[in-house]
Amino acid sequence: MSTRVGVVTFPGSLDDRDAQRAVRLAGAEPVALWHRDTSLHQVDAVILPGGFSYGDYLRCGAIARFSPVMETIIEQARAGLPVLGICNGFQVLCESHLLPGALTRNDHLHFICRDQRLRVENAGTAWTADYTAGQEITIPLKNGEGGYVADERTLDELEAEGRVVVRYLDRNPNGSRRDIAGITNAAGNVVGLMPHPEHAVESLTGPTTDGLGFFTSVLKKLVAAS
């Protein structure tokens, strides 16, 4: 029986098909989940893709947080379901309080799109186990509201508990505090990051294939757990 990874489509999602393709390339079965679904259709993990859910009205991710599918995802994530939020998905996870902090407007007030070097800080999560701590990777980054912010106490806790998953290298692209590009919850099953690993899974279309490890990691995690 194949591992099933759900990919949620909200109104305004942009990278849901890319995430489904990455799941397929990793060897799992992608399952399309609609924002109005209350059932997750027996998936083993969930990806919240990039895009502009509900047009980014109010705040990025603020409306998506209240969609029917998120009520189920929040409940199951707290029970251990692996969940990955990419870009807008990261924003939704913060709005849902599955991850601390918030994503704000880039400090230079411009949309940015470029290949971004990162350092993997935590290779112990469900989504990063195929990497090694300290490994440097390059995957695309594209956002207008990508600056990660939190109060100093929260930032200190993230650092002390090893919950910074990936960090920007070379130069900070959006003003994220402490160069944070992605974080995890304490259990390691929920990860959010601003860059796009699903756009770096094939040498033909990506700058690298460095992003594929996010998708193979959860597959191996789930197979090992079964």
Side-chain angles (χ1 to χ4, degrees):
M1 187 174 184
S2 63
T3 301
R4 293 161 53 85
V5 179
V7 179
V8 178
T9 298
F10 300 102
S13 289
L14 181 65
D15 300 303
D16 45 343
R17 296 295 181 90
D18 302 77
Q20 289 178 29
R21 181 172 180 80
V23 167
R24 190 176 294 110
L25 287 170
E29 177 189 350
V31 178
L33 299 176
W34 184 235
H35 69 116
R36 292 188 181 275
D37 290 347
T38 55
S39 168
L40 300 186
H41 304 290
Q42 297 179 310
V43 299
D44 304 294
V46 167
I47 296 172
L48 305 179
F52 307 91
S53 59
Y54 298 91
D56 278 351
Y57 289 110
L58 299 183
R59 293 183 309 276
C60 300
I63 299 177
R65 176 261 178 271
F66 292 102
S67 65
V69 74
M70 282 307 301
E71 297 298 323
T72 308
I73 289 171
I74 290 168
E75 178 184 351
Q76 295 200 22
R78 289 174 175 158
L81 179 75
V83 179
L84 176 67
I86 303 169
C87 197
N88 186 231
F90 187 10
Q91 296 161 342
V92 174
L93 290 176
C94 288
E95 289 287 341
S96 303
H97 305 297
L98 288 172
L99 294 175
L103 284 306
T104 61
R105 189 79 186 273
N106 294 349
D107 59 352
H108 46 73
L109 304 182
H110 294 284
F111 187 91
I112 189 169
C113 182
R114 75 181 203 198
D115 297 336
Q116 176 67 49
R117 288 183 67 236
L118 305 168
R119 183 173 60 243
V120 178
E121 304 281 21
N122 183 341
T125 78
W127 299 93
T128 56
D130 262 1
Y131 299 100
T132 57
Q135 183 174 346
E136 296 183 5
I137 63 176
T138 299
I139 63 177
L141 173 77
K142 51 176 186 172
N143 63 74
E145 290 88 6
Y148 180 75
V149 298
D151 60 77
E152 289 299 319
R153 179 178 176 181
T154 299
L155 292 169
D156 288 343
E157 287 179 355
L158 291 172
E159 300 274 16
E161 296 172 8
R163 291 170 54 194
V164 176
V165 174
V166 284
R167 208 182 299 265
Y168 297 116
L169 293 177
D170 299 332
R171 63 187 175 95
N172 190 314
N174 46 34
S176 287
R177 299 296 305 276
R178 305 192 190 183
D179 299 327
I180 291 173
I183 61 172
T184 182
N185 65 343
N189 64 301
V190 179
V191 168
L193 76 160
M194 190 47 57
H196 286 261
E198 79 281 14
H199 294 325
V201 294
E202 292 181 290
S203 57
L204 178 65
T205 56
T208 66
T209 57
D210 291 350
L212 191 59
F214 282 89
F215 307 97
T216 56
S217 291
V218 75
L219 178 59
K220 290 181 181 178
K221 176 83 172 179
L222 291 166
V223 169
S226 63

